[in-house]
Amino acid sequence: MRTAPQIIRRGVEDYQASFDAMRAYTDSRTADTPDQLWIVEHPPVFTLGLGADVAHVLNPHAIPVIQTDRGGEVTYHGPGQVVIYLLMDLRRNHPGARLFAREFVQKIEQAVIDTLAAYNLAGQRKQGAPGIYVSTGPWQGAKIAALGLKIRSNGCTYHGVSLNVAMDLAPFSWINPCGYEGLATVDMQTLDIAAPLSDVQSLLADKLVEHFA
C-alpha cells in the first residue's frame, strides 16, 4: 500500500537554504525515509538549471542568480508564488524509476491543471516545453507554472513546481523564461482570480498528494 507524502510548510525561506536542505535530506535518505512535499515562498531569486545558458538572464537587476542541479533553463521565484518541492523515492512504488519519470512529471502537471480548474482557469501542457500554460482567453499561451526536477540515479527526487498566484511579474521580463525569448508569463491575479496564497498552496499540495497517494 502506498503512503501519502508528508506536507511540510517551511514558510518564507531563502532559496539557497531550501536548496541545501533538499540535497541534505536526499543525501541522508534510507528505504524508510518518508516522502515529503515542502511548501515554501522565496524572496526574489533567479535560478539556473544544469543546462541553462546564462545569456538568458538579460538583466538581473540585483536579484541573486543561483546555479542549481535541476533540469531546465532559467526561471524566477518570488513573493506571491506557490513553490512545492517534491522529495520522493520513485522506486518505492515503481521499481523502474526511469520509466516512471515521465509519468511523475505528468502527475505534477495534472495537479497544477486541477488546481487551476478549481478556480475556473484552464491550463494546458505544451509539447516540448515543461510547465503549464493558459489555454483560453487573452492570455492564451502564457506560462503560469514552471517545473524543474532532479531525479537521482537511485530514483530519489527533489526540486519541484511553482505556480504564479499574485506576483510582481516584472522580473520575468528580465530573463528569457525557461530559455524562450519573449515568452509571456502570467499569474492568477492577472487572470482576475483573487486567491490567498495559503489557499492555493494547500490546494496544490492536496492535489499532488491525491495524484501520488
Side-chain angles (χ1 to χ4, degrees), residues 19-103:
F19 185 25
D20 292 344
M22 283 190 287
R23 286 185 294 182
Y25 189 87
T26 305
D27 288 344
S28 65
R29 288 195 75 127
T30 70
D32 299 320
T33 302
D35 291 335
Q36 294 186 342
L37 304 181
W38 292 3
I39 302 175
V40 299
E41 184 182 12
H42 291 308
V45 64
F46 294 117
T47 70
L48 301 170
L50 278 174
D53 182 348
V54 72
H56 289 307
V57 181
L58 307 176
N59 186 343
H61 288 77
I63 292 176
V65 180
I66 296 179
Q67 179 66 57
T68 80
D69 58 357
R70 63 167 171 78
E73 270 284 350
V74 61
T75 194
Y76 170 70
H77 297 306
Q81 181 186 62
V82 175
V83 176
I84 300 185
Y85 295 125
L86 296 97
L87 292 95
M88 301 184 68
D89 179 355
L90 300 190
R91 291 186 178 177
R92 177 163 289 156
N93 303 308
H94 297 263
R98 292 184 182 279
L99 295 176
F100 181 61
R102 181 177 295 179
E103 184 184 348

Side-chain angles (χ1 to χ4, degrees), residues 190-212:
T190 304
L191 300 174
D192 297 324
I193 301 298
L197 185 70
S198 59
D199 288 2
V200 185
Q201 288 173 328
S202 296
L203 182 57
L204 180 53
D206 287 347
K207 293 296 183 184
L208 287 165
V209 169
E210 188 179 301
H211 282 286
F212 287 111

